[in-house]
Amino acid sequence: KQQFLLDRAMAALNTSHWSEAGYPFEGKTVAGSTDCNVTFSKGIPSICIGLAYSEGHHTLNEFTRLDSLLPGMKSLVSFVIDC
């Protein structure tokens, strides 16, 4: 099930929603700490998907481009429908 979720998430993130909005975006996997670590540690298939273009994470210079929220939400909807 975990691979199923990962495959569907990558497909949703690599849609044209990002390029149509002018973002050279490509879905990628990274290791990190998220809220889904709790469910994943209990054997529940889990995934965390970033839905906006942002930089400077967890620093004083952190920001999110508000105009990236719409393509991000479109990707989320694609993921939910595909699952």
Side-chain angles (χ1 to χ4, degrees):
K1 282 208 162 200
Q2 189 66 32
Q3 189 62 48
F4 173 84
L5 289 175
L6 180 59
D7 291 345
R8 297 311 182 281
M10 294 302 286
L13 290 172
N14 286 318
T15 62
S16 62
H17 303 307
W18 293 99
S19 59
E20 289 170 1
Y23 287 95
F25 185 85
E26 182 177 330
K28 60 184 175 181
T29 58
V30 295
S33 180
T34 69
D35 292 337
C36 63
N37 284 344
V38 174
T39 53
F40 193 72
S41 70
K42 302 213 180 282
I44 301 169
S46 309
I47 196 161
C48 180
I49 301 173
L51 298 177
Y53 180 84
S54 58
E55 290 183 15
H57 305 110
H58 309 296
T59 70
L60 295 175
N61 296 320
E62 181 173 7
F63 72 92
T64 296
R65 295 273 310 261
L66 296 180
D67 63 344
S68 71
L69 294 173
L70 181 59
M73 292 303 293
K74 286 180 178 180
S75 293
L76 176 62
V77 169
S78 295
F79 171 72
V80 170
I81 289 171
D82 198 30
C83 286

